[in-house]
Amino acid sequence: MTQNEDLRENMLRQVLEHLSQQSENQYLKILTSLAEVATTNGHKLLSISSNYDAQMKSLLRIVRIFCHVFRIGPSSPSNGIDMGYNGNKTPRSQVFKPLELLWHSLDEWLVLIATELMKNKKDSADITSILLKQKGQDQDGTSIPAFEPPGPGSYENLSTGTGESKPDALGGKQEASADCQDVISMTANRLSAVIQAFYMCCSCQMPPGMTSPRFIEFVCKHDEVLKCFVNRNPKIIFDHFHFLLECPELMSRFMHIIKAQPFKDRCEWFYEHLHSGQPDSDMVHRPVNESDILLVHRDSIFRSSCEVVSKANCAKLKQGIAVRFHGEEGMGQGVVREWFDILSNEIVNPDYALFTQSADGTTFQPNSNSYVNPDHLNYFRFAGQILGLALNHRQLVNIYFTRSFYKHILGIPVNYQDVASIDPEYAKNLQWILDNDISDLGLELTFSVETDVFGAMEEVPLKPGGGSILVTQNNKAEYVQLVTELRMTRAIQPQINAFLQGFHMFIPPSLIQLFDEYELELLLSGMPEIDVSDWIKNTEYTSGYEREDPVIQWFWEVVEDITPEERVLLLQFVTGSSRVPHGGFANIMGGSGLQNFTIAAVPYTPNLLPTSSTCINMLKLPEYPSKEVLKDRLLVALHCGSYGYTMA
C-alpha cells in the first residue's frame, strides 16, 4: 500500500492510524513492517542502478507515514529522551531496529567519501568505475540486491555485478558517464535523501522543538562531506537538508552557503516550510466559520483590528484570513488586500506616534518617544502581527522601513552607517572619527553621551563607568559601535521587542534569517517598477566620467540586460532603498536633501568591485576594460553583499 503511488498519502495515514489503534501488538507490527519496507527502499536508493527520483520519493513517503504512526502511539515521547539513541530498549523503540541497517550503510558511505576527500591527490576513477558496475546489474530483469556497505580498504565489496553498463535515470535526467562524474556527484543526492529520512526518524523520537542528540552528532561527524555535497549542488539544501531550519547549531554551519543561493529559491524554501505544518491542500474544504471572521470598523480600523487580531486564534489566522467591515457585506481576497493596505498606512500614522520618518522622508523607524501613547507597546506588537500575517499570506504592505529596522527584525547587528537614516550629520561625524587620528585633537570625548530619556536630556553611559573613560585612537572603534547601538537599538529596545513578539507569532526566526535586510524589504513590500530611461535621464557623472564614455555606455547596457530583481539590488546598493520616490529619480533624497544618482570614476585594478556611498547616492565604478568584465564585477558586488559604504 505504501508503495502504491495511486493511493494518497493522507488516506494511507488515516487507514494505518485506525489499524494501529486496535491493539498494541497491531501497532508494533505495522511500525515494524513500515521500517522493513523503508530499509529495503533505502538500500535500493543507494544502488546506482536504481531510478533515483522514484526510489527517493518512495523512501521519504514511507518514512513520513512511519513517523506519523509512531507519534500517534499510546506513549509518545515527552521526557526529552531520544529512545532510539539510547539503545532501543523499549518495545516501541524496537521498531526502529530494522532501520539501523540503513543508517549503518549511510554512515559507511559517508566515511568512504571522507576518505576519498582526504586523499585529494588520488583519482577517484577506480571507485567510480566500480560503482557504475551496479548499473548493468539489473539488465536481465532480476531484482536489485540490497546495498552492502564497503569493508575497510576494500572497494571490491561495493559491487560484483556484471553486464553491460547503460545510462539510467537520475533525478529525471540522464546520469553522466564515468568520464565526467566522480563518486560524490553520483551519490550526493541519494545519500542526502537517506540523511533526510534519518533526520525524520530521529526527530519523531524527540519532543517538539528538540533536535535529536544522535542527529547532531551525526552531522558533526560528517560535517566535511555534507558541506562538500552542498557546495557541489546547493539545491540539496532545499530538497533534503530541512533539518537546518529546526536546529540553529546546524544552520550556522551552512548559513554562508544558504545565503549565496538565488533569492527565488530561498523564497520557495521559506514558504514551503512556513506552511508545512498546515492542513494539506487536498483535504476537503471547510467553509469559513462565522466566529473566525475578523469584523472591523472602517472608521476606527487600527484600534478595532488590533482588538480582534489579539483575540483571534493564531493557528487559524495562519491558515487563512477572512475580513468583513462592519455594516458591509463584502468579503474575500479583495477585502483582505484592502485591509492590509489601509493598516500599513495606519501603522505609520503620526497620530499613534509609533514610527517617525527617516531623513530621506520615504522610510520609517520606531519612535523612541512612542511612550507618549500609553498603548504603544501593544500597538507595536500588533504592527508586528500585521507584518507577520502579511508575509505569511504573501500580501504586500505599502510601507518601507529603515535599513536598521529590517536588521532588527532579522537579528543582524547595526553599524554606524545605519545612523545616516535618522541623522546624516551625526553619521558623518562618526565616519570622521574613524577616518582621522584623534590623539591630539582635544575632543575630550568619553564613553557617555547626552540623550533624550522620557523627554529630558540625560547623560547616558555607553558602558559601565563610561563617563570616566576617555575615547582614544585605540578605542574609538568601540566608541562608534556603542554610540550606534545606543541610538539605533537601546533607545528603541522595548519597541523592537514588542514588534518582534507579534511578528514571530507568524514568522519563525529560523526561517526569516534566510534573507538579508534588502531582501526582507522586497518580501514585505514587493518588487518596485524601475524606469531605466528616467534613471539615465537623472544621473550625474563625476571624477572623470562623461555620459558618452564607453564604460558608462556599457554600464547602462548592463542595467538594461539584467533582471528586474538585479536592478532593484543595484538601486539598493547605491541608495540604500529599493524604492523610487514619487516623481521618479529626480526626487531621490540624499543625506542633505535632493541628490541625484551619481557615478564616479575609480582607477581599475584586476578583480576590483564597485562600491557605493549611500549618503550621496554615489556608485564608485572602476574603469573596466570591457562590458563583460563590468557586468561580472557588478553582479558579484550585488549578489555577494560587497557593500563598500563610505560617507561623504
Side-chain angles (χ1 to χ4, degrees):
M1 289 172 62
T2 56
Q3 298 180 81
N4 185 345
E5 295 184 5
D6 293 331
L7 295 177
R8 290 191 311 180
E9 186 174 328
N10 286 329
M11 183 182 298
L12 281 173
R13 287 186 182 189
Q14 292 172 13
V15 170
L16 293 176
E17 182 178 336
H18 173 74
L19 293 174
S20 66
Q21 299 297 319
Q22 304 304 308
S23 68
E24 179 74 10
N25 288 337
Q26 180 86 335
Y27 169 75
L28 296 175
K29 183 178 179 181
I30 290 173
L31 285 173
T32 302
S33 298
L34 286 170
E36 291 171 350
V37 175
T39 301
T40 301
N41 275 265
H43 282 137
K44 286 182 179 179
L45 178 59
L46 293 176
S47 170
I48 302 300
S49 60
S50 66
N51 181 294
Y52 161 73
D53 194 57
Q55 292 297 336
M56 178 271 293
K57 289 180 179 177
S58 178
L59 171 64
L60 297 180
R61 170 183 162 105
I62 295 166
V63 170
R64 282 194 299 269
I65 294 172
F66 171 86
C67 292
H68 174 76
V69 174
F70 179 80
R71 288 192 187 97
I72 54 99
S75 56
S76 295
S78 59
N79 56 359
I81 298 175
D82 181 343
M83 293 178 289
Y85 183 75
N86 288 314
N88 295 323
K89 296 179 180 178
T90 68
R92 286 189 65 218
S93 57
Q94 284 291 326
V95 300
F96 289 88
K97 194 169 185 180
L99 288 161
E100 290 300 323
L101 296 173
L102 180 58
W103 310 149
H104 179 71
S105 297
L106 172 64
D107 191 75
E108 290 285 339
W109 265 111
L110 296 175
V111 169
L112 174 63
I113 292 174
T115 303
E116 287 295 303
L117 288 174
M118 289 185 66
K119 289 179 181 177
N120 204 23
K121 296 179 182 179
K122 187 174 184 282
D123 192 329
S124 62
D126 53 350
I127 184 171
T128 302
S129 61
I130 294 171
L131 290 169
L132 283 170
K133 290 180 184 179
Q134 294 186 38
K135 296 172 68 175
Q137 193 164 340
D138 196 36
Q139 300 304 314
D140 58 357
T142 58
S143 61
I144 300 168
F147 169 80
E148 293 292 336
S154 174
Y155 295 146
E156 288 75 20
N157 291 338
L158 289 174
S159 174
T160 56
T162 59
E164 196 174 309
S165 177
K166 296 183 180 180
D168 199 355
L170 179 58
K173 299 180 180 179
Q174 291 291 332
E175 289 184 343
S177 65
D179 292 335
C180 61
Q181 285 280 15
D182 61 16
V183 63
I184 297 175
S185 299
M186 296 173 64
T187 59
N189 282 339
R190 296 170 181 269
L191 291 169
S192 297
V194 179
I195 290 170
Q196 183 182 354
F198 178 48
Y199 171 70
M200 291 161 65
C201 289
C202 287
S203 297
C204 76
Q205 301 174 73
M206 298 296 297
M210 293 185 63
T211 303
S212 164
R214 180 180 187 181
F215 188 76
I216 293 177
E217 181 182 316
F218 168 86
V219 173
C220 294
K221 175 181 178 181
H222 300 295
D223 180 75
E224 183 180 353
V225 176
L226 299 185
K227 285 181 177 174
C228 181
F229 285 178
V230 171
N231 277 314
R232 287 176 175 237
N233 178 18
K235 199 171 185 298
I236 283 176
I237 287 180
F238 306 117
D239 290 341
H240 299 300
F241 285 9
H242 302 171
F243 57 82
L244 296 177
L245 295 174
E246 300 171 21
C247 185
E249 309 98 291
L250 302 182
M251 173 72 98
S252 61
R253 294 170 175 264
F254 295 87
M255 184 57 77
H256 64 290
I257 304 175
I258 294 172
K259 287 197 172 181
Q261 303 317 304
F263 177 57
K264 182 179 178 181
D265 290 349
R266 282 178 285 134
C267 285
E268 292 176 357
W269 202 40
F270 171 81
Y271 279 109
E272 175 189 346
H273 290 277
L274 183 64
H275 299 145
S276 61
Q278 296 181 12
D280 298 291
S281 58
D282 60 351
M283 296 295 283
V284 176
H285 173 72
R286 294 179 176 83
V288 175
N289 191 311
E290 188 70 22
S291 63
D292 296 332
I293 298 173
L294 302 179
L295 184 62
V296 299
H297 293 265
R298 192 179 285 276
D299 58 353
S300 59
I301 188 169
F302 187 83
R303 290 185 176 87
S304 63
S305 296
C306 180
E307 183 178 347
V308 296
V309 168
S310 65
K311 295 178 180 178
N313 183 293
C314 183
K316 290 185 177 180
L317 288 178
K318 289 179 182 178
Q319 295 173 23
I321 305 174
V323 177
R324 179 188 295 153
F325 288 104
H326 187 76
E328 301 178 21
E329 293 298 323
M331 278 184 59
Q333 283 304 300
V335 177
V336 171
R337 282 194 294 271
E338 181 187 7
W339 182 65
F340 275 116
D341 190 55
I342 296 174
L343 280 179
S344 61
N345 290 321
E346 285 294 294
I347 285 171
V348 295
N349 185 331
D351 291 344
Y352 300 112
L354 301 180
F355 291 88
T356 57
Q357 280 189 325
S358 62
D360 65 10
T362 63
T363 57
F364 291 86
Q365 169 84 358
N367 182 4
S368 59
N369 295 319
S370 64
Y371 56 82
V372 298
N373 183 336
D375 291 323
H376 71 127
L377 295 183
N378 286 333
Y379 286 160
F380 269 108
R381 180 174 177 270
F382 171 60
Q385 288 177 304
I386 291 303
L387 265 70
L389 270 174
L391 187 55
N392 182 287
H393 294 288
R394 303 185 189 229
Q395 296 283 343
L396 299 179
V397 294
N398 185 29
I399 180 174
Y400 293 82
F401 296 109
T402 57
R403 198 69 48 220
S404 60
F405 189 58
Y406 289 123
K407 286 184 176 182
H408 289 314
I409 295 174
L410 296 168
I412 299 174
V414 296
N415 56 46
Y416 70 93
Q417 291 100 339
D418 296 315
V419 177
S421 65
I422 61 171
D423 192 339
E425 289 301 319
Y426 196 75
K428 289 180 184 179
N429 292 339
L430 294 179
Q431 180 72 59
W432 189 92
I433 290 174
L434 291 175
D435 291 345
N436 295 276
D437 190 335
I438 64 171
S439 301
D440 302 318
L441 296 179
L443 295 179
E444 297 185 357
L445 292 173
T446 65
F447 276 76
S448 64
V449 294
E450 193 176 57
T451 189
D452 187 319
V453 178
F454 294 105
M457 299 304 294
E458 290 185 13
E459 195 77 13
V460 176
L462 299 175
K463 57 192 293 187
S468 59
I469 302 174
L470 288 175
V471 178
T472 67
Q473 182 67 16
N474 292 331
N475 64 19
K476 67 180 183 180
E478 180 189 10
Y479 169 79
V480 167
Q481 182 60 29
L482 290 176
V483 165
T484 298
E485 291 174 2
L486 174 66
R487 296 203 61 172
M488 306 302 294
T489 305
R490 285 171 56 187
I492 54 172
Q493 194 66 65
Q495 293 90 329
I496 293 170
N497 292 344
F499 180 94
L500 291 178
Q501 183 184 9
F503 187 78
H504 290 157
M505 291 174 67
F506 302 100
I507 306 295
S510 61
L511 275 179
I512 201 64
Q513 67 176 320
L514 297 177
F515 308 103
D516 63 26
E517 63 272 25
Y518 297 89
E519 294 163 338
L520 178 57
E521 181 181 67
L522 298 182
L523 278 174
L524 287 169
S525 303
M527 188 72 63
E529 291 288 336
I530 294 179
D531 185 342
V532 177
S533 61
D534 181 53
W535 197 347
I536 296 173
K537 178 182 176 182
N538 292 285
T539 294
E540 298 176 0
Y541 306 93
T542 187
S543 303
Y545 274 147
E546 299 289 343
R547 174 68 179 87
E548 295 75 22
D549 289 343
V551 175
I552 298 301
Q553 300 284 348
W554 295 334
F555 172 79
W556 290 118
E557 289 172 10
V558 168
V559 173
E560 292 276 9
D561 292 342
I562 60 180
T563 66
E565 291 85 354
E566 288 165 337
R567 288 192 204 109
V568 170
L569 288 177
L570 174 60
L571 183 61
Q572 289 177 326
F573 181 82
V574 181
T575 70
S577 173
S578 67
R579 207 159 65 103
V580 180
H582 181 70
F585 281 88
N587 293 323
I588 285 184
M589 299 292 291
S592 303
L594 287 174
Q595 176 64 63
N596 276 353
F597 189 92
T598 305
I599 303 178
V602 175
Y604 171 73
T605 57
N607 298 319
L608 184 64
L609 297 175
T611 58
S612 64
S613 296
T614 57
C615 274
I616 55 174
N617 301 330
M618 179 180 287
L619 173 65
K620 298 177 181 179
L621 186 67
E623 298 170 301
Y624 291 112
S626 69
K627 176 182 174 181
E628 291 70 28
V629 174
L630 187 155
K631 182 175 183 178
D632 175 76
R633 296 291 83 194
L634 181 64
L635 291 179
V636 168
L638 300 185
H639 288 290
C640 297
S642 300
Y643 298 102
Y645 295 107
T646 58
M647 306 296 289

